Amino acid sequence: MLSKNIKPILIIAIIIVMNISSIVLYAECDFMAMLAKNGFQISGFNEADYFFQFQKDRSCAAHQEDGYGVIYYKNGENTIPFNYDDPLADPLSESNQTYFLVGEGDHSWYQHHGPSSGYYWNDSNYQSVDPSKPDYVWIPRPGTLTPINFSHNDIGVLVNIGFEFEFYGEPNTQMIINPNGWIGFGEDGGLEDWENLSLPNPDAPLSAIFGFWDDLNPELGGTGDDNNVYYEYQASENRTIVWYYDVEKYGDSNTTFDFQIILYNNGKIKIQYQSVEGTTNSGTIGIQNAAGNDGLQVVYNGNYTGNHSYVENGLALLFSTEPYPEPLDIAEQRIMESTNDAVVVLGHDRNRAGVSSFAVGQHPYVFDYLDPNTQITTTYTFQHNGYHDYKNPMRQYCWDHDPNWFITHPLNWEILGNTINNLDTVNDTEILFHYIMAHVIEAGGDIVAGMLAAFNETEVEDDEDNTHNIRRYFHEEWRTNRINVTLSDGNALYVFRNTGINDGYNLSYKDFGNFVGIKTQGDIPDGGNRIVQFALMEITRDGDIIAHDDDIGVSGLITENTEWDYDHYVVGDLTIQNDATLTLLDGANLYFTDKYDVTVNGELILNEGAGLHLYHHSAVIVDGADAQLFLDWGTSVSGYDHSCKSPDKPGDRLIAQNGGVITTRTKTEYENYPGTPASIIFFSQPDIDGYGLNYWNEGIRIESDSEEYTCEFTNCNFSDCQISMIGENNNGNLNIYYSSFNN
């Protein structure tokens, strides 16, 4: 495309892009929100489960490595307790209003679970309290026990369990105790099963529990006190215990394991490690069924996180078929209890891909602000669907506002390694939140004014004094900077969308009467409304739903003379009334964000330096005897090359009809030297058989139904395009003055 800096010219270009209109791309992170209007609470919202279920579906097991979060406000309270020192602490507390599954590293609350045919697992190393967390309580070995008499260090021994133990739905009264750190209910593999494998695996011992499956070397014949395996049924405790007592690894006397496998008559399995020494990252821990096609692997031949081996002294591991309540389940239960009086809810699930792949932490984020005038503290909450890569200038903006900004307003997840001095560790959402809040504070607490100001900054410096145009990033370049967000102060929801109306990053809301629900992805059924691109929706508990125009996105009707000196974006069909004039001044561009029509019944004037940029089969239709489009020299007109052509996908077009005029002269020149150019239609594809239509490769097609017609271009530069004129009797005139052609 020819540079816009070349003047005086009219640039007419076709920009080639890939057509992905047939592909629906849903965001990998999604959110929902609910608001109860005054006099009501979420517990009375019959459709609340629809929004919780949406988050549950997005927070399935496949996504739990990344995690999710739920936060709620109580009626009449604008603060939410948040423990910055440990946001995951004590999640079961009745006073808790924040519920997170972080998912990264070893910090997840319920990260360690399946299900595998109904089995779940958890261990004693979690930093947080939860109902499934097992306590490490070592059961001492009674002195009267007799060691298992192994005939070979790879061949197991069959013993009675002492009760009927159900494993993967099958009852068992006997078990194999194998010297290589596992017990099972199928067949002993003998000499073939000394080498551990990953799980599930049909080549591994079937219907088995692996305490630490490796090539171990217990004492043969049960002759020694150490380096042996023991077992005992303890009827009073309803359990059977297998002890591996200081068992060495084969060929490595410096590596020893002292652990026990405990079977309970209710089907639970507990493994405890009292002492491990030497090479402890070479085994398999887990369970699998009788077919070897279903199981839970805790660890296989490796370190669990970083250089830290999973097994360690004082570790307890529990397998159970009892479903552990997830944070999201607990949150829903608490929110739907009327005694908690929940009125605003935000919920988000996150994928750690993209610009914050190294950032540990979870939405929704919180931000506490003490108003110096009222001395009232408000907790603001925030969640984001999308991504951006402008953390540096946003951080610098906060520092310019207050050098101690991130001391006064700490990051939510510093305990997990977030530090403002290393932006790789900070989520792009949290930086965006702080950047917005700096503007809200500058606006005296006016959230609407602050958010719109944040999205429309044109000169924000980063820490190397480079200047960034945030308005352009979030408007013109929205396809690479998606920022669909929800912010709340407990009194309202503020929802902003910058993605296209047909983009996979959808955002919609529905008014249910006494409640309002919001969600990403597909529309809310039966009356849901898509939020318009570049619109900020204010949804209050008073019952108001107000659309705030950010003065960038345009659609609807222009009824009076209007001048724009900065960029605007067509976010819906737009009509310029027949007695109105829209003038784009130098530097102002009109960008189409999707397949929309701009109908000119009055006048559209592009001054030198202005631009008109069509996209996705859009059209500017100059319609009627009073309709005129003036393209002054130095203006820029562009469209996109769409690879998929059909009658309903005709390409980007400029059309003059019913006496409408498109001219490259100024209005004064046109009125003094009248002439009526025909329609100018942008095409970018050769003829397509079967449609009876002509499409010109990277070109302009000029057509008219009249016998004679004239189209003229003055001071134009035609780049990478062809021109064809079509008329009833081929008697059209093409007048080109002071113009040049490139390719």
Coordinates of all heavy atoms in Angstrom, one line a residue, residues 131 258 275 295 406 456 486 704:
P131 N -11.3 -29.3 51.8 CA -11.8 -30.5 52.4 C -11.2 -31.8 52.0 O -11.3 -32.8 52.7 CB -13.3 -30.4 52.0 CG -13.3 -29.6 50.8 CD -12.2 -28.6 51.0
D258 N 11.0 -45.1 52.5 CA 10.2 -45.6 53.6 C 8.8 -45.0 53.5 O 8.6 -43.8 53.8 CB 10.9 -45.1 54.9 CG 10.3 -45.7 56.2 OD1 9.3 -46.5 56.0 OD2 10.8 -45.4 57.3
S275 N 10.3 -41.2 54.8 CA 11.7 -40.8 54.6 C 12.0 -41.3 53.2 O 11.8 -42.5 52.8 CB 12.6 -41.5 55.6 OG 13.9 -41.2 55.3
G295 N -6.7 -44.0 34.3 CA -5.9 -43.9 35.5 C -5.6 -42.5 35.9 O -5.9 -41.6 35.2
F406 N 2.5 1.2 42.8 CA 2.4 -0.2 43.1 C 2.7 -0.6 44.5 O 2.7 -1.8 44.8 CB 3.2 -1.0 42.0 CG 2.6 -0.8 40.6 CD1 3.2 0.1 39.7 CD2 1.5 -1.6 40.2 CE1 2.7 0.2 38.5 CE2 1.0 -1.4 39.0 CZ 1.6 -0.5 38.1
N456 N -8.8 6.1 25.2 CA -8.6 7.1 24.1 C -7.3 8.0 24.2 O -7.2 9.0 23.6 CB -9.8 8.0 24.0 CG -11.0 7.3 23.4 OD1 -11.0 7.0 22.2 ND2 -12.0 7.0 24.3
T486 N -15.0 -6.1 32.0 CA -16.0 -5.8 33.0 C -15.3 -5.2 34.3 O -14.4 -5.9 34.8 CB -16.9 -7.0 33.4 OG1 -17.5 -7.5 32.2 CG2 -17.9 -6.6 34.4
S704 N -22.0 2.2 -15.3 CA -23.1 3.1 -15.4 C -24.2 2.5 -16.3 O -23.9 1.8 -17.2 CB -22.7 4.5 -15.9 OG -23.9 5.3 -16.1

